[in-house]
Amino acid sequence: MARPLFQALPGTRDLLPPDTDRMRDLVVRFADQAIAAGFGHVIPPMFEDVGVFVRLGAASDIVSKELYDFEDKGGRRIALRPEQTASVCRIYAEARPTTPWKAWYAGPNFRYDKPQAGRYRQFDQVGAEVIGSHDPDVDVELIALAARFFEGLGITKVRLLLNSLGDAADRPRYLDALRAHFEADLGALSEQSRQTLMTNPLRVLDSKRPQDAALVSAAPLITDFLSDAASTAFDRVQGGLRTLGVGFELAPRLVRGLDYYTRTTFEFAADSLESAQNAIGGGGRYDGLIADLGGPPDPGVGFALGVDRTLLACDAEGCFAGPSTGVEVWIVSTTGGYEATEAADELRTAGVRTDRSFDARSMKAQMKSADRSGAPLAVIIGADEAADGMVSIRPLREQAAQQLLVPRSDLVAKVKEMLEQ
Ligand code: AMP
């Protein structure tokens, strides 16, 4: 076969059934659970003024290296969203809904990342945010929402990693201690980590390079620098999770990719996936982000789950096969009239998944299509049946089953009855 002129770009994928059916079902499940917890659906635009995302932290890779930004025809500096928390905060600052404001979302994000399994340039997330409350019970509610969602899909090999990054005032003391720790043995640190140390010392803790392992594991812990208020809040979060039976591991080196986090941070790690891409979701508090976007100094907390990676984790565990969306009835008609058109319309309106042959093909060719479709039933309307006001229904998947001749007016009821058997 000749190569097509165009192919999907690196880091993008064409999704087709059954993957699309599964993805849609996953989003519907998430939506149902979020709505049951009082969250409203928001749909932020896919692109924003680049400034909205720069507030996420100029030192983070997502902003400094991975942003799809460009100038539009009106001379505006635009970026495709790399995530949706910043947009949700921008919406909040603009619309000023009553608080606490609980919003959920689903949709694609764009990052100029290095494509590999589980890492794409366009990827989907579902997420939820609560803006306007300092209450750590909100953190518990959000974490439980994510944990129950994974549970509902049947994922068992997932660990919840939990940390507190303290308040904005705790951070400088910790960063000083961290810098002092690494600078005392700078020669032992990898070249990349030395660079990172200058721009964003917290991110050095994220280094997976073996050369850095010893220094990273001996680094001071943020949990030793928490203010009393941050520490009490963190205890309350842990107590809430224990009450709900949501298991977690304390992860004092968990810093995550964006700079805006304060207090609670968390990540869900799927043990069935490669460790470099095993984060299937994460989130935390961002008590300064809304003010950074020019809004009121209101706190926020939220999470985003990676849809593509969650589905990979389901594959790895053999769970959540997705719904069956195959056609249930195939209509075969050789009358040349509108019988197939009418019957298909009627069955579809009654909620029966129905397809049919076109192009006036022979009975034999149409029966072959019916067979290939996987439908359990064929509805056959020949000239004789049409003249008598009848239709035939033929089970296609059972050897012994008989073809039935039924009045045309009974078609829908009979088909439904046979599909239920
Ligand atoms: P983040 O916004 O970086 O905290 O990402 C939240 C979740 O989105 C991660 O835990 C991943 O599951 C998913 N994710 C992030 N980046 C990518 C990517 N490039 N490709 C696929 N999934 C991603």
Side-chain angles (χ1 to χ4, degrees), residues 113-120 208 267-281 306 308-310 312-313:
D113 218 332
K114 196 168 154 227
Q116 52 202 290
R119 192 174 290 282
Y120 313 106
K208 303 264 177 341
E267 200 157 278
F268 289 91
D271 289 333
S272 55
L273 300 180
E274 283 272 323
S275 68
Q277 271 83 240
N278 72 350
I280 55 175
D308 313 83
R309 276 191 211 170
T310 298
L312 289 175

Side-chain angles (χ1 to χ4, degrees), residues 11 13 62 66 82-85 105 109-114 116-126 256-258 260-261 266-268 277-283 303-310:
R13 295 166 311 146
I62 292 176
E66 298 170 3
E83 53 108 70
Q84 295 173 62
T85 303
Y105 56 80
N109 307 294
F110 308 86
R111 294 182 193 173
Y112 197 78
D113 218 332
K114 196 168 154 227
Q116 52 202 290
R119 192 174 290 282
Y120 313 106
R121 289 181 175 167
Q122 177 178 332
F123 61 96
D124 272 80
Q125 287 180 337
V126 292
R256 298 187 35 77
L258 298 169
Y260 57 66
Y261 287 107
F266 54 94
E267 200 157 278
F268 289 91
Q277 271 83 240
N278 72 350
I280 55 175
F303 66 76
L305 313 180
V307 169
D308 313 83
R309 276 191 211 170
T310 298

Side-chain angles (χ1 to χ4, degrees), residues 183-197:
E183 277 168 4
D185 206 357
L186 210 51
L189 216 52
S190 67
E191 175 58 34
Q192 285 111 315
S193 287
R194 262 178 276 160
Q195 293 284 335
T196 312
L197 186 63

Side-chain angles (χ1 to χ4, degrees), residues 205-376:
L205 297 177
D206 246 2
S207 164
K208 303 264 177 341
R209 285 174 287 275
Q211 189 186 339
D212 298 328
L215 265 187
V216 166
S217 68
L221 301 178
I222 179 74
T223 27
D224 294 330
F225 289 77
L226 298 186
S227 63
D228 286 349
S231 186
T232 307
F234 195 36
D235 287 345
R236 176 85 190 170
V237 172
Q238 295 177 52
L241 294 175
R242 278 191 209 100
T243 302
L244 297 180
V246 173
F248 61 89
E249 289 171 25
L250 291 177
R253 289 190 182 77
L254 178 73
V255 292
R256 298 187 35 77
L258 298 169
D259 297 348
Y260 57 66
Y261 287 107
T262 53
R263 294 202 173 184
T264 315
T265 47
F266 54 94
E267 200 157 278
F268 289 91
D271 289 333
S272 55
L273 300 180
E274 283 272 323
S275 68
Q277 271 83 240
N278 72 350
I280 55 175
R285 269 203 173 265
Y286 43 85
D287 289 350
L289 182 60
I290 298 154
D292 282 354
L293 285 163
D298 292 348
V301 52
F303 66 76
L305 313 180
V307 169
D308 313 83
R309 276 191 211 170
T310 298
L311 289 173
L312 289 175
C314 290
D315 288 340
E317 292 203 36
C319 63
F320 186 56
S324 158
T325 57
V327 57
E328 296 167 295
V329 170
W330 191 275
I331 298 176
V332 170
S333 175
T334 49
T335 62
Y338 286 114
E339 284 77 8
T341 303
E342 260 193 304
D345 183 55
E346 223 173 279
L347 285 163
R348 288 166 184 167
T349 306
V352 178
R353 297 192 297 273
T354 305
D355 208 350
R356 52 165 291 193
S357 299
F358 292 104
D359 300 308
R361 302 175 71 213
S362 70
M363 171 71 84
K364 197 171 155 205
Q366 292 191 44
M367 283 310 298
K368 217 182 213 173
S369 303
D371 207 42
R372 225 182 286 133
S373 75

